[in-house]
Amino acid sequence: QVQLVESGGGLVQPGGSLRLSCAASGSIFSIDAMGWYRQAPGKERELVASITSDGRTRYADSVKGRFTVSRDNAKKTVYLQMNSLKPEDTAVYYCNGEISRYSNNVYYLYWGQGTQVTVSS
C-alpha cells in the first residue's frame, strides 16, 4: 500500500505565503517525478509544478516566479513554497508521485487526498 499525505494548507491573505508538504509512505522501492496540481471550484485540475528525481522542475506560467517546488528524496517528501499568493490561487492542491513498489521498473501514479488553500482578505 502507498499513501501520499499533504499538509500545510489553510487561509492566507493576498500577498502572503504558505508551504505545502506531501509525504509518501508505504511499500515504496523508488519514486520518479512528483508534482502538485490544483483544482478550483468549477474548473479542471491543472498542473502547478513538478520535479523529477534528479531535480528538474517545471511550472505553470501562472505561478512562475512565485512558487518553488523542491523535494527531499530521503524523506520521500515534495514541497511547494507559495509566495505572493493571489485570490486566484485559491483551490484544492493535490500532490502526486510516480512510484514503483518493486525493483521491476514499473511505475504507477499515486495521488494525495488534497489540501485546501484559500487566499482571501
Side-chain angles (χ1 to χ4, degrees):
Q1 191 77 350
V2 172
Q3 278 192 315
L4 295 177
V5 179
E6 300 103 335
S7 60
L11 173 64
V12 63
Q13 291 188 341
S17 298
L18 280 175
R19 188 192 194 208
L20 304 183
S21 300
C22 172
S25 63
S27 178
I28 296 172
F29 179 79
S30 177
I31 304 177
D32 197 349
M34 301 186 81
W36 290 95
Y37 283 70
R38 67 186 180 187
Q39 187 166 20
K43 294 189 176 181
E44 292 187 355
R45 190 174 297 190
E46 62 175 1
L47 172 71
V48 176
S50 64
I51 183 167
T52 63
S53 57
D54 59 356
R56 287 173 287 131
T57 59
R58 175 182 161 200
Y59 295 93
D61 288 343
S62 59
V63 307
K64 282 180 182 176
R66 299 188 298 122
F67 290 11
T68 302
V69 62
S70 61
R71 64 191 283 171
D72 184 328
N73 290 332
K75 294 182 178 179
K76 299 183 180 68
T77 299
V78 63
Y79 306 96
L80 185 67
Q81 178 66 43
M82 304 186 293
N83 298 329
S84 303
L85 281 160
K86 304 175 181 180
E88 51 263 43
D89 294 317
T90 296
V92 178
Y93 283 70
Y94 300 89
C95 73
N96 70 10
E98 297 174 351
I99 297 172
S100 176
R101 297 182 61 192
Y102 310 102
S103 60
N104 58 1
N105 211 35
V106 175
Y107 288 80
Y108 293 95
L109 187 64
Y110 292 86
W111 289 87
Q113 81 289 350
T115 185
Q116 177 70 46
V117 171
T118 302
V119 184
S120 175
S121 55

